[in-house]
Amino acid sequence: MPYQLGKENGPDTLLDMCVSYCMNNMSILVKAAEESGPWDSSFQRLQPGLNFPTTISDNLFNYLTRNVSESWNAQCQDLIPVFSDIEKTPLSKVVIRQQIDLSEPGSQSLFNHPLNHLELTCCSFCDVFSYEIFQLIKKLRNSMRALKLWAKPNCLRCGNMSTTESVNKLTKMQESRDNMAPLISSNIVDLRLLSVQNFKHREFTESPTMLKCLVEPLQNLCHLNLTGCGITENDLDSIVALPKITFLVLSGIQFDDIHEGFVKLGKASKLKHLDISCSSQDPKIYPNAVVNMSALLELLSNLTSLDISGTNLAGDRLKESVSHKLETSGQQEGSIGMCTSEKSCNSLSGRHFAFLGLWNCPDLPFSWNDTPADQFSGWENDDQILFSASVYLENEKMLTHVLNKLFAGLRVGPRPNKILDGVPTMLKAIQLHPLCREIQRSANACLFLMMNGKSQAIPQRTRTFIVETLVSCVNQVKNDTYTAKCCVCSFLCLNMPHDAVYCHLFKRYVNCLLRILNSYHGDFFEMYALKLLHETCRTERPEKSIIGRETDTLTYLLSLIRHKLANSCCDDTMERAWSCLWSLTDDMPENAKRFMEEPSAMDIYMSCIQTFAKQDGLLKKMTGLMANLSEVPELRKQLMNEELMMLYCNLMDSELDKNGVSYHATSVMSTMVIDPLSTWIISQPERSVVLNKMVETVDRWDLDSKMKIKYRSLRPILELVVEYDTPEAQLWATWALCNLTRSKADRYCPMLELEGGLPLLEQLVEDSRVLPRAVELGVMTLQQCSTYKALLTDSNVKEELNSGE
């Protein structure tokens, strides 16, 4: 039967959540590299005491190769040996679609497990049909039930090996063995499913014994897929002789003599599914198609599923001539009267199928009213195209045609929310074909168009699959600007970075954005990928710590600013970069320290703020960043230099109060002056001059102004409230609290109370060391909080009374 896509919209299972968390926090499972040492056959790197059942081991391993592996590094290759112990991490199913070298001892350890399902792409065995890889597979002769081998026509590594080289290598290896023993199947007699796709090499088409040696011993084989292998009717004898074959896929078969080929196929009388489709752009036109197809169907009486896409084997629908002449009642039987009638000239009459593959057939049989099937592939509407995509997920060429047709329809205009049902199919397509450029492009483009404007209707579990798939896609695809743009657009449709945090992919998501920004250049990526990074930098403390500690975000942002500075370009990109740095250091001392540790960070800062001194939007971000840096006591010694302090002393006079430049500059100086007098080691500006200017600056501010600043915590301000030895700093702090509780009472009055600020203000207004203006501001703040609390209480009482009525 055709591929049926499972329901993906249920809630996350506990197993899925645990697997995702563990594989994105590998220290839970694996010893640190310095503890584990190099891998060998007797040494395991799994943490002591861990022992998993097969189900969990399979999920962990296949999550690793599906999502964590990246073709541009050795991460997956290094982690495979974790699964070498058949007692602690027993595996039954291994799927590897990435570029993993199976010649490594750690990788070969996988074949010590009693696997019953193995799936490999060509990048795992680029010496086509090499003796070594099949000797590994032979080790599984007692357990193997399903084997899938995919060659990729566009694989750079495989593509470099000519057909002659491949055959010569194969011949030499075979000649070195006794009696040219079959390479794979002689000892795997209980194999039930064999899929060997896209092996268009002469060992299949010109060596008459190759295919026979491959399939003849497999007497229990039920499912055989030879898509894209260049099979002809001459190769069918050994296939139809298989006694239990019920599912046969020969997509791309080349019938030179269709009559002879169909006679041979008719001998496989137990077939329930047959695929003899053609995936080329132009349909394959066979002579006497209806006669031969009808004869074949008579022989295959058990057939319930048939794929004849891209051929004329369905026949066509013809209209008979119409006579307008009135006939007598004695007219000959079969003659036509006044009305027009249609006659079906097709090979499918008299049969009904559960599935018919009719994609790209002449005369469009999928549009007939009486198409004899419960389900059939075609492009008559969105539902049919999406169904076709799910059917052809494993057929690379056919899937490419379907996705192109789907994209052409999606780009015409918006679709109803029902189109979101196709999202899981697009994700499967991206995951199944990581090395196919065409599918990556089309599937990602369709995914974005499906989600655009409808993302709120996507369930959380599906969002998890989307994030996992997009992150892995970016890491796999190289130098493909189109696919990268599609991925960025899809990220913009989601609730990022929340969705990445939810599925434990936050760090990989950040690295994904950095990879995009470093690999692809232009206005699109600077605008949208940097926007995503900016939103990520504004997350909560744990995630911001990860960004600063475990990614190169700080380094990238400074590099971007340096590039803009070199070109004297102050644009939205530069402002956003400084805004990212401001957010990353907000209430994050460790990130502030890491910023200061970046090479030339302060040199870049000074050059930028001096070069673009009149750019008020930029100055707001840069002074906000400096305010965060100055809040860290250990950094104030590094900031204490004349050039920087003179700059900020002058910025306190800035008229850009609406953008907070003067406010932030005064904040910086407030934290710089609270340290002991001995720490003020510069001669200019003098500390007394700074203190006087702070008072003058605060006094001129409008208390009703609304600062465009959002505090996550009032802790840095409250720390200045208790600085009785520096009343000028207290003045700034009390003004800030009064302004915040006045302009945004619903946010800052509860925050002030929750963080213990009210007792501090009550103590401040009673202390004689405090400046009169600071006392006044403190009293106003307390009154505002009291008023807000009273109003809130009255509102709650009224709601209770109304609900009681």
Side-chain angles (χ1 to χ4, degrees):
M1 291 298 294
Y3 184 91
Q4 295 293 329
L5 194 68
K7 295 295 183 181
E8 305 286 1
N9 290 345
D12 288 338
T13 66
L14 181 59
L15 177 59
D16 288 340
M17 290 189 287
C18 290
V19 166
S20 176
Y21 181 80
C22 290
M23 295 311 293
N24 288 289
N25 296 274
M26 287 300 294
S27 60
I28 297 173
L29 304 179
V30 184
K31 293 180 180 180
E34 59 270 16
E35 298 176 10
S36 59
W39 184 88
D40 60 53
S41 59
S42 62
F43 190 85
Q44 311 304 324
R45 297 196 299 174
L46 199 66
Q47 291 281 14
L50 295 182
N51 194 340
F52 299 120
T54 302
T55 302
I56 293 180
S57 295
D58 284 346
N59 276 274
L60 290 170
F61 180 82
N62 288 296
Y63 186 96
L64 169 67
T65 57
R66 185 179 74 250
N67 291 316
V68 180
S69 63
E70 299 170 357
S71 60
W72 48 277
N73 66 22
Q75 182 180 10
C76 184
Q77 193 81 51
D78 291 342
L79 291 174
I80 284 180
V82 174
F83 298 89
S84 61
D85 192 323
I86 63 175
E87 299 295 333
K88 294 182 178 180
T89 53
L91 296 171
S92 65
K93 180 178 181 179
V94 167
V95 177
I96 300 177
R97 299 191 184 99
Q98 323 296 349
Q99 297 180 11
I100 298 174
D101 187 0
L102 291 181
S103 65
E104 293 291 330
S107 301
Q108 292 190 5
S109 68
L110 297 175
F111 296 88
N112 295 327
H113 292 266
L115 302 178
N116 58 48
H117 183 111
L118 176 64
E119 184 173 342
L120 303 174
T121 61
C122 58
C123 291
S124 304
F125 52 97
C126 278
D127 295 340
V128 180
F129 276 80
S130 68
Y131 181 86
E132 287 78 6
I133 186 64
F134 289 118
Q135 286 304 303
L136 290 173
I137 294 175
K138 277 186 178 182
K139 294 170 67 176
L140 308 173
R141 58 183 176 271
N142 294 323
S143 62
M144 181 72 72
R145 297 295 180 271
L147 174 63
K148 293 185 178 183
L149 302 175
W150 289 18
K152 297 294 182 180
N154 57 348
C155 173
L156 296 178
R157 296 170 66 194
C158 292
N160 292 331
M161 182 183 293
S162 68
T163 303
T164 303
E165 290 174 328
S166 175
V167 173
N168 290 342
K169 176 172 283 193
L170 173 70
T171 303
K172 290 179 181 179
M173 287 187 291
Q174 284 186 285
E175 290 174 351
S176 67
R177 311 300 170 185
D178 295 336
N179 301 320
M180 294 182 65
L183 290 179
I184 172 174
S185 57
S186 58
N187 293 320
I188 310 179
V189 294
D190 207 22
L191 196 68
R192 307 300 174 85
L193 183 153
L194 176 63
S195 177
V196 182
Q197 295 194 46
N198 298 322
F199 281 94
K200 287 188 174 179
H201 295 277
R202 288 193 345 218
E203 56 264 30
F204 254 104
T205 58
E206 295 187 10
S207 176
T209 62
M210 183 62 191
L211 183 60
K212 181 179 179 181
C213 290
L214 181 66
V215 302
E216 191 173 59
L218 305 177
Q219 295 299 296
N220 290 316
L221 195 67
C222 302
H223 182 135
L224 178 62
N225 187 341
L226 297 173
T227 295
C229 291
I231 301 298
T232 69
E233 62 269 18
N234 299 323
D235 304 307
L236 294 177
D237 292 318
S238 56
I239 295 175
V240 300
L242 294 170
K244 296 183 180 181
I245 192 73
T246 59
F247 193 108
L248 181 59
V249 179
L250 301 173
S251 182
I253 187 170
Q254 303 294 323
F255 286 116
D256 295 323
D257 186 336
I258 187 174
H259 176 73
E260 179 186 352
F262 279 16
V263 169
K264 291 183 178 181
L265 282 176
K267 297 177 181 179
S269 58
K270 293 183 180 180
L271 280 180
K272 294 182 179 180
H273 173 78
L274 175 64
D275 183 345
I276 49 176
S277 61
C278 176
S279 57
S280 60
Q281 289 284 358
D282 298 322
K284 176 72 174 178
I285 306 300
Y286 291 110
N288 301 318
V290 173
V291 174
N292 286 292
M293 192 70 228
S294 298
L296 177 62
L297 292 179
E298 288 182 10
L299 296 172
L300 301 179
S301 58
N302 294 314
L303 205 65
T304 59
S305 178
L306 174 66
D307 198 330
I308 49 177
S309 298
T311 72
N312 66 330
L313 293 174
D316 53 21
R317 170 158 291 188
L318 301 175
K319 288 186 178 181
E320 291 185 341
S321 59
V322 180
S323 172
H324 297 278
K325 180 180 178 181
L326 290 175
E327 302 288 348
T328 64
S329 58
Q331 65 186 16
Q332 295 182 355
E333 184 179 354
S335 63
I336 301 176
M338 287 293 293
C339 62
T340 301
S341 66
E342 288 187 351
K343 177 182 177 183
S344 295
C345 181
N346 67 69
S347 58
L348 307 176
S349 300
R351 291 290 293 270
H352 189 83
F353 298 89
F355 166 75
L356 272 176
L358 301 174
W359 186 270
N360 199 30
C361 288
D363 205 33
L364 309 181
F366 56 79
S367 65
W368 298 348
N369 292 331
D370 56 349
T371 303
D374 297 330
Q375 293 178 305
F376 43 89
S377 60
W379 61 72
E380 195 168 20
N381 51 53
D382 289 342
D383 288 342
Q384 201 173 82
I385 297 175
L386 288 174
F387 172 72
S388 302
S390 69
V391 169
Y392 299 121
L393 274 172
E394 294 191 1
N395 190 324
E396 186 174 296
K397 287 188 176 180
M398 199 73 79
L399 179 60
T400 301
H401 299 330
V402 176
L403 292 177
N404 288 337
K405 180 68 72 173
L406 177 62
F407 175 73
L410 290 173
R411 66 183 302 184
V412 171
R415 292 294 196 273
N417 281 352
K418 189 179 179 182
I419 198 70
L420 291 175
D421 292 342
V423 167
T425 306
M426 298 303 103
L427 299 179
K428 291 284 187 180
I430 296 168
Q431 292 172 359
L432 281 170
H433 304 277
L435 304 175
C436 179
R437 185 185 183 95
E438 293 80 7
I439 289 179
Q440 292 297 310
R441 285 186 159 203
S442 300
N444 273 290
C446 291
L447 177 64
F448 162 64
L449 292 175
M450 287 177 179
M451 295 194 300
N452 192 23
K454 305 180 182 68
S455 59
Q456 296 303 316
I458 302 176
Q460 186 63 62
R461 190 181 189 196
T462 303
R463 289 170 177 269
T464 295
F465 294 147
I466 294 172
V467 175
E468 290 176 352
T469 303
L470 291 176
V471 169
S472 293
C473 177
V474 170
N475 290 331
Q476 291 293 343
V477 176
K478 296 181 180 180
N479 304 320
D480 190 341
T481 302
Y482 185 86
T483 300
K485 284 184 176 181
C486 291
C487 290
V488 169
C489 290
S490 293
F491 280 136
L492 289 167
C493 291
L494 299 172
N495 184 18
M496 304 300 284
H498 167 78
D499 289 335
V501 174
Y502 176 85
C503 59
H504 315 294
L505 280 173
F506 181 77
K507 177 183 173 182
R508 291 188 63 224
Y509 168 65
V510 175
N511 284 328
C512 167
L513 294 179
L514 293 177
R515 176 175 170 78
I516 290 173
L517 288 165
N518 280 310
S519 302
Y520 306 99
H521 305 287
D523 294 341
F524 175 88
F525 294 105
E526 284 191 357
M527 181 180 298
Y528 295 111
L530 192 60
K531 176 183 178 181
L532 288 167
L533 185 63
H534 183 217
E535 291 299 319
T536 302
C537 292
R538 298 170 64 184
T539 54
E540 299 301 322
R541 286 176 58 89
E543 285 73 40
K544 285 201 289 191
S545 179
I546 292 173
I547 295 175
R549 184 179 67 251
E550 301 182 35
T551 74
D552 295 327
T553 304
L554 292 173
T555 302
Y556 167 76
L557 292 171
L558 285 172
S559 175
L560 176 62
I561 293 169
R562 183 189 290 111
H563 173 73
K564 293 289 183 180
L565 189 60
N567 293 292
S568 299
C569 177
C570 181
D571 56 8
D572 291 340
T573 298
M574 176 176 273
E575 285 196 26
R576 186 161 280 165
W578 282 115
S579 185
C580 288
L581 292 169
W582 181 15
S583 297
L584 280 177
T585 55
D586 181 26
D587 199 24
M588 293 294 297
E590 59 270 32
N591 283 349
K593 293 175 184 178
R594 293 187 185 98
F595 172 84
M596 294 294 288
E597 291 168 358
E598 287 288 326
S600 305
M602 286 307 298
D603 292 338
I604 295 172
Y605 184 92
M606 292 301 298
S607 296
C608 191
I609 202 169
Q610 290 171 348
T611 303
F612 305 110
K614 296 183 179 179
Q615 299 291 332
D616 54 341
L618 178 67
L619 289 181
K620 174 186 176 181
K621 278 86 173 175
M622 297 189 70
T623 53
L625 167 63
M626 185 56 62
N628 293 338
L629 299 178
S630 64
E631 290 171 5
V632 184
E634 299 91 328
L635 298 181
R636 289 201 278 267
K637 184 177 180 180
Q638 295 175 250
L639 300 177
M640 186 60 69
N641 67 77
E642 290 189 0
E643 185 179 20
L644 182 63
M645 291 299 99
M646 282 299 298
L647 173 67
Y648 269 83
C649 191
N650 293 331
L651 284 175
M652 285 195 291
D653 290 332
S654 173
E655 297 180 357
L656 304 174
D657 291 343
K658 290 183 179 180
N659 283 313
V661 174
S662 175
Y663 175 86
H664 282 310
T666 309
S667 169
V668 170
M669 302 311 287
S670 296
T671 53
M672 295 300 293
V673 298
I674 62 174
D675 290 336
L677 183 60
S678 59
T679 61
W680 195 272
I681 57 176
I682 57 176
S683 57
Q684 293 293 330
E686 295 181 4
R687 187 172 182 272
S688 58
V689 172
V690 171
L691 294 175
N692 291 333
K693 181 167 284 191
M694 286 170 57
V695 174
E696 294 173 0
T697 299
V698 173
D699 283 344
R700 70 177 172 83
W701 287 343
D702 180 6
L703 197 55
D704 291 320
S705 62
K706 294 185 178 181
M707 296 291 179
K708 297 178 181 179
I709 301 166
K710 185 177 181 180
Y711 283 94
R712 295 175 182 270
S713 169
L714 297 176
R715 180 192 53 78
I717 301 176
L718 294 177
E719 289 179 354
L720 296 178
V721 169
V722 297
E723 289 292 336
Y724 290 93
D725 293 335
T726 316
E728 294 84 359
Q730 282 182 315
L731 176 63
W732 176 86
T734 53
W735 189 95
L737 292 175
C738 188
N739 174 266
L740 292 171
T741 56
R742 191 185 188 97
S743 60
K744 297 178 182 178
D746 57 336
R747 175 178 177 82
Y748 292 109
C749 287
M751 186 183 294
L752 183 60
E753 181 177 6
L754 182 65
E755 296 185 347
L758 298 182
L760 298 181
L761 288 176
E762 290 171 354
Q763 180 181 349
L764 179 141
V765 299
E766 299 294 334
D767 198 297
S768 59
R769 293 172 291 177
V770 181
L771 295 175
R773 177 58 175 165
V775 172
E776 182 183 348
L777 292 168
V779 170
M780 292 172 62
T781 303
L782 290 170
Q783 290 175 344
Q784 286 161 185
C785 289
S786 177
T787 302
Y788 173 79
K789 193 170 185 179
L791 290 172
L792 189 62
T793 302
D794 291 343
S795 177
N796 291 337
V797 170
K798 289 180 180 179
E799 287 182 4
E800 291 179 4
L801 291 174
N802 291 333
S803 62
E805 293 177 359

